Amino acid sequence: MGIESEVPESGGGIRRRNCVCTKDDFLPEESFKSWRNYANALRQTPTRLIERALTRSNDEAELEAKSRSHHEMKKTLTWWDLIWFGMGAVIGAGIFVLTGLEASQDAGPAVVLSYAVSGLSALLSVFCYTEFAVEIPVAGGSFAYLRVELGDFVAFIAAGNILLEYVIGGAAVARSWTSYFATLLNFKPEKFLITAHGLTKGYNQLDPIAVAVCFIICIIAIRSTKGSSRLNYVASIIHIVVIVFIIICGLIKADTKNYTPFTPFGARGIFKASAVLFFAYVGFDAVSTMAEETKDPARDIPIGLVGSMVITTTVYCLLAITLCLMQPYQSIDPHAPFSVAFKAVGWSWAQYIVAAGALKGMTSVLLVGAVGQARYLTHIARTHMMPPWFSYVDEQTGTPVNATAVMMSATAVIAFFTKLEILSNLLSISTLFIFMLVALALLVRRYYVSGVTTNANRNKLIICLLLILGSSIATAAYWGLSEKGWIAYCFTLPIWLSATAGICIFIPQARNPKLWGVPLVPWLPSLSIAINIFLLGSIDKDSFIRFAGWTSLLFGVTFLATCFI
């Protein structure tokens, strides 16, 4: 923060130097100008709540919002950058830590099927994101898409969960970074954690190294997006080399006896693991936030997003197979599974290569996450749902400096206190919730355009969407509550099928994509909704309680914001 100075220009104008913060940077609305305005805003609260619940943005408004950042982000990225950003964003703590945790506790060798299910869900979501990113190439990602199709209210609730997703995801990866760093130095994974006996269990293992890593990543992300891309590119190449090493050398030491029994925890264990392992795919949506910095969004974004997800899913399944062939699932270490597996089969030297590769991968995940989360916050601030101070883009670096610093600071604080298992479950809920909303928004975008869609078709669409959501929720709830029942599926699945077919047969599409469109609409986004909700039904109760608490807080913030904004 600088000091304001005004220097006369030769033409008699005023030139402003350095960066200053004023009240308008944080509270720009008329409601904050005087006490009378406060009172007037409070009286209008009921009307404002109704408007906020019903108001939708449009493509042009989201694109025009870029001007509120003072300077434009630089268009420097191609599909090649996006593929490496996509892999860098995803291949990290999930595969190198959670694979061991879920294989040993929930899925056994069938953890490969868990990765396949999560990968299918993620790929369906990737298609939905891609159409939006091509049509609305702004830094806001899913927040902008939801604001256009589902309205300000849903977008704000989603925005809070998006930011939570990134903070928690970054914190989880930062803590995993510490575990593999300890392994690289031949210590136990928990070596560098400090126990604070006065804090609650799960929050009493303090991690100062994670804080330091977050700080370094923050500096890199602030300096340059293209520079971050190059660093991620180099780190990801090294990472892929290490992954190939793990697969080849791991299969050399494979023992097929370790694959028996293949499904020790049954189908329920596979889907429970899949819900948690969805964490391993979190991050690809960060690539969609880079649409504003992409040279040719219509070509580069589909190739970058879909290509990186296909490669990532393939790599995950191969790594899961390799790990479970190297060790019996009961012996897999939940903290640093691949390093310990090589040590167990007599190749102690290989654990250092694995640890170094894992560190490279997690560094990439942190870097891409820092870039993506800052761009989400930047666009949210452009709409004044957050203080405009967060939307500032630096003229020299072309990056959102304030948003990056604040988000990485929050990530560091969470990483300092919170255990990985708590973070991964809560993260999966937020992510699946957002992906479900984006798929729902895509159906609304294709089948409802104000002034084009007739009232009759609008009502049909609403009924079909409610049936899709209701049947999906009922299926997930029945799965979570009934361990052996099957009768309810005979009703819920045909209802989902009929509702989706109803959209396909009876409701004409009101909008066709201009540049690139999701195939098999409405089936693909409807299936995405169903799978995301089903996986939510496999997550533990405590995580839902935390999620409900956070969402309730967002409702409160929404109400207060509505009073004055």
Side-chain angles (χ1 to χ4, degrees), residues 446-448 453 457 460 503-511:
R446 285 290 194 94
Y447 289 94
Y448 176 76
T453 305
N457 285 332
K460 291 177 191 175
I503 295 177
C504 185
I505 297 170
F506 298 111
I507 307 173
Q509 290 196 27
R511 186 202 311 263

Side-chain angles (χ1 to χ4, degrees), residues 89-363:
V90 175
I91 304 176
I95 185 64
F96 284 111
V97 177
L98 291 181
T99 305
L101 185 68
E102 293 307 309
S104 61
Q105 296 183 6
D106 291 320
V111 70
V112 63
L113 299 182
S114 300
Y115 269 117
V117 172
S118 296
L120 173 62
S121 177
L123 185 60
L124 294 176
S125 297
V126 162
F127 277 110
C128 298
Y129 267 83
T130 299
E131 179 170 327
F132 276 115
V134 169
E135 297 282 314
I136 314 174
V138 295
S142 52
F143 168 74
Y145 314 151
L146 295 176
R147 190 164 178 256
V148 168
E149 299 304 335
L150 300 183
D152 285 357
F153 180 76
V154 173
F156 187 82
I157 298 300
N161 279 289
I162 291 165
L163 297 180
L164 177 68
E165 168 194 326
Y166 274 103
V167 169
I168 289 176
V173 175
R175 286 187 74 93
S176 299
W177 201 99
T178 302
S179 295
Y180 269 93
F181 180 65
T183 303
L184 184 63
L185 299 181
N186 205 27
F187 293 121
K188 292 183 177 180
E190 63 272 17
K191 170 67 176 178
F192 296 112
L193 301 181
I194 301 170
T195 302
H197 297 288
L199 298 177
T200 303
K201 184 178 179 181
Y203 303 91
N204 62 343
Q205 297 288 316
L206 308 184
D207 192 340
I209 291 181
V211 175
V213 171
C214 288
F215 176 76
I216 295 171
I217 292 295
C218 178
I219 298 300
I220 296 172
I222 283 175
R223 289 185 63 84
S224 166
T225 302
K226 189 63 178 179
S228 297
S229 174
R230 288 171 181 155
L231 178 60
N232 171 70
Y233 177 59
V234 173
S236 295
I237 289 177
I238 297 172
H239 194 198
I240 294 298
V241 170
V242 172
I243 286 173
V244 172
F245 167 83
I246 293 172
I247 293 171
I248 293 175
C249 295
L251 292 177
I252 290 173
K253 303 297 291 185
D255 184 352
T256 54
K257 293 179 181 178
N258 293 332
Y259 243 50
T260 305
F262 181 66
T263 57
F265 301 97
R268 192 164 295 275
I270 292 172
F271 284 107
K272 183 179 179 182
S274 184
V276 176
L277 290 173
F278 201 86
F279 169 90
Y281 291 95
V282 170
F284 77 80
D285 51 327
V287 179
S288 71
T289 69
M290 300 173 195
E292 194 172 316
E293 298 159 89
T294 302
K295 292 180 179 179
D296 185 358
R299 181 197 64 181
D300 296 337
I301 292 174
I303 296 174
L305 274 170
V306 177
S308 62
M309 184 52 59
V310 171
I311 294 171
T312 297
T313 302
T314 303
V315 167
Y316 278 179
C317 289
L318 289 174
L319 284 171
I321 291 170
T322 302
L323 178 64
C324 292
L325 284 173
M326 290 178 70
Q327 272 191 299
Y329 73 90
Q330 305 95 325
S331 304
I332 294 174
D333 185 271
H335 296 287
F338 288 94
S339 294
V340 175
F342 275 103
K343 188 175 182 180
V345 297
W347 285 13
S348 297
W349 56 271
Q351 69 175 318
Y352 303 109
I353 298 176
V354 174
L359 286 177
K360 287 286 186 182
M362 286 183 274
T363 301

